[in-house]
Amino acid sequence: MALDRFGRPIHYLRLSLTDHCNLRCVYCMPEDMTFRPQDALMQDDEILRLVRLFSGIGFDKIRLTGGEPTIRARVTELVREIAATPGIRSVTMTTNGILLGKLAADLAAAGLKRVNISLDTLDPQKFRRLTRWGRLEEVMEGIRAAEEAGLTPIKINAVVVRGYNETDVVDLAALTREYPWQVRFIEMMPFGGATEFQLQQTIRAEEIRARIEARLGPLQPVDGGRLDGEARLYRLPGARGEIGLIASVSQPFCASCTRARLTADGVLRMCLLREKEIDLLTPLRRGATDETLRRLILEAIWQKPWGHGLAAGEIPVNRVMSEIGG
Ligand code: SAM
Ligand code: SF4
């Protein structure tokens, strides 16, 4: 397995299938977002070649993301081929859930293990305001379909934005009493052109926790409060599911980061919140050998930054979240 220069094993690839999306969430992209042309995005054979190279250097976990991964043409076939790549032990997906009602069963049959579904509120009007045009009912249908297809345990991701959904954390957290889901609250992170909004309206994990506890009672740490990936896990008394707090801004988890991100246009980004990128697609299209690409990847891993610089006011401006792959 490849190590970075700080000794962290890097074996988890977040692979963006497209920068396009069927929603326009206010914290993710501007309403008039322009997307890359299809030929600027990795084609299926290019994705599969890079996946084989990553697995060859020890990557065993792949999360498909975007943009919205379910709108990629042939997504089911891609999942099947990625899941069948030797060395890949788990293929999961982060999705807004809108198309899961149609796709969940096929994706599960193709080898997808689990899904994280983004859902910031249970109020249809607020959902529309946050996503600019989404229909909550479609996401709820997507969650049901994912559960039926065995894409479990279901994880729900909620970004909390002041003035939009800070009071909704209570109803979302209460879902865990009834369902065996992990509901995770995420601090909004600043990217690109939306920084004013993102800096003013971020809500810290401590405030989210206080809001939940004030209405639903004390959150009990799960496993002594250890990190599960990026989330610190808690449970409401007697609940079936868990609550996760993802404090990427106020309490970064960089020391335990094992990730690399491959954007839909084929550049490797070793830290979500750092601008540095290593282009793999251009050399690949110019005929680079596997060995050359492998060396580029290993060098990028070695140079992975220790962590982000938000505390020092360093905000990445070259891409918004949907162009990186959350
Ligand atoms: N479209 C899919 C979705 O919404 O789940 C996958 C891509 S989306 C960029 C991945 C995750 O990033 C989502 O859970 C989304 O809520 C989160 N996200 C987007 N912008 C964010 C921001 N500024 N800060 C924190 N999380 C953000
Ligand atoms: Fe699309 Fe996901 Fe970004 Fe929302 S968070 S605009 S669903 S990519």
Side-chain angles (χ1 to χ4, degrees), residues 253-314:
F253 47 89
C254 308
S256 58
C257 184
T258 58
R259 303 165 179 193
R261 287 183 162 78
L262 183 59
T263 69
D265 55 326
V267 310
L268 194 51
R269 183 143 164 154
M270 297 306 301
C271 174
L272 175 63
L273 289 153
R274 295 275 184 193
E275 290 190 351
K276 183 161 170 47
E277 299 177 341
I278 298 88
D279 186 357
L280 298 180
L281 187 58
T282 306
L284 185 156
R285 287 187 176 172
R286 287 189 182 146
T289 62
D290 280 358
E291 187 47 30
T292 302
L293 292 168
R294 205 177 93 87
R295 265 194 262 116
L296 278 174
I297 298 169
L298 285 171
E299 176 61 17
I301 291 173
W302 184 251
Q303 297 296 340
K304 178 175 165 74
W306 169 252
H308 65 65
L310 292 185
E314 290 168 36

Side-chain angles (χ1 to χ4, degrees), residues 156-261:
I156 305 284
N157 286 349
V159 177
V160 189
V161 187
R162 196 175 303 286
Y164 284 80
N165 65 337
E166 70 269 46
T167 53
D168 301 59
V169 298
V170 174
D171 286 350
L172 286 166
L175 287 173
T176 64
R177 287 175 164 166
E178 200 178 331
Y179 302 100
W181 300 345
Q182 195 183 97
V183 176
R184 299 133 47 95
F185 297 100
I186 304 174
E187 289 179 344
M188 179 166 55
M189 292 174 278
F191 296 95
T195 53
E196 183 71 9
F197 166 77
Q198 288 168 337
L199 289 177
Q200 302 301 320
Q201 281 155 270
T202 299
I203 299 207
R204 296 192 158 219
E206 273 316 302
E207 181 180 336
I208 297 168
R209 179 178 180 165
R211 285 178 177 275
I212 296 169
E213 290 191 322
R215 293 281 301 282
L216 301 177
L219 289 180
Q220 300 158 344
V222 173
D223 286 348
R226 94 183 147 76
L227 278 177
D228 173 44
E230 67 274 58
R232 212 168 282 286
L233 296 183
Y234 300 89
R235 194 184 286 277
L236 288 167
R240 296 179 70 200
E242 293 168 334
I243 290 170
L245 294 178
I246 304 183
S248 327
V249 179
S250 62
Q251 288 180 301
F253 47 89
C254 308
S256 58
C257 184
T258 58
R259 303 165 179 193
R261 287 183 162 78

Side-chain angles (χ1 to χ4, degrees), residues 28-74:
C28 182
M29 59 169 82
E31 189 164 13
D32 59 351
M33 183 74 189
T34 46
F35 300 110
R36 287 174 173 72
Q38 292 299 335
D39 61 1
L41 306 184
M42 292 184 290
Q43 306 301 298
D44 290 6
D45 58 331
E46 294 167 335
I47 291 180
L48 294 170
R49 180 167 170 208
L50 289 173
V51 164
R52 281 194 295 276
L53 284 169
F54 278 97
S55 81
I57 57 178
F59 280 69
D60 54 1
K61 252 176 95 174
I62 294 196
R63 173 169 296 277
L64 303 174
T65 180
E68 176 47 41
T70 57
I71 65 172
R72 168 122 189 170
R74 293 187 75 254

Side-chain angles (χ1 to χ4, degrees), residues 21 25 27-28 65-69 94-96 116-118 120 157 159 186-191 198 321-322 325-326:
C21 191
C25 302
Y27 45 74
C28 182
T65 180
E68 176 47 41
T94 299
T95 167
N96 60 30
N116 286 18
I117 299 169
S118 300
D120 308 319
N157 286 349
V159 177
I186 304 174
E187 289 179 344
M188 179 166 55
M189 292 174 278
F191 296 95
Q198 288 168 337
M321 187 68 144
S322 59

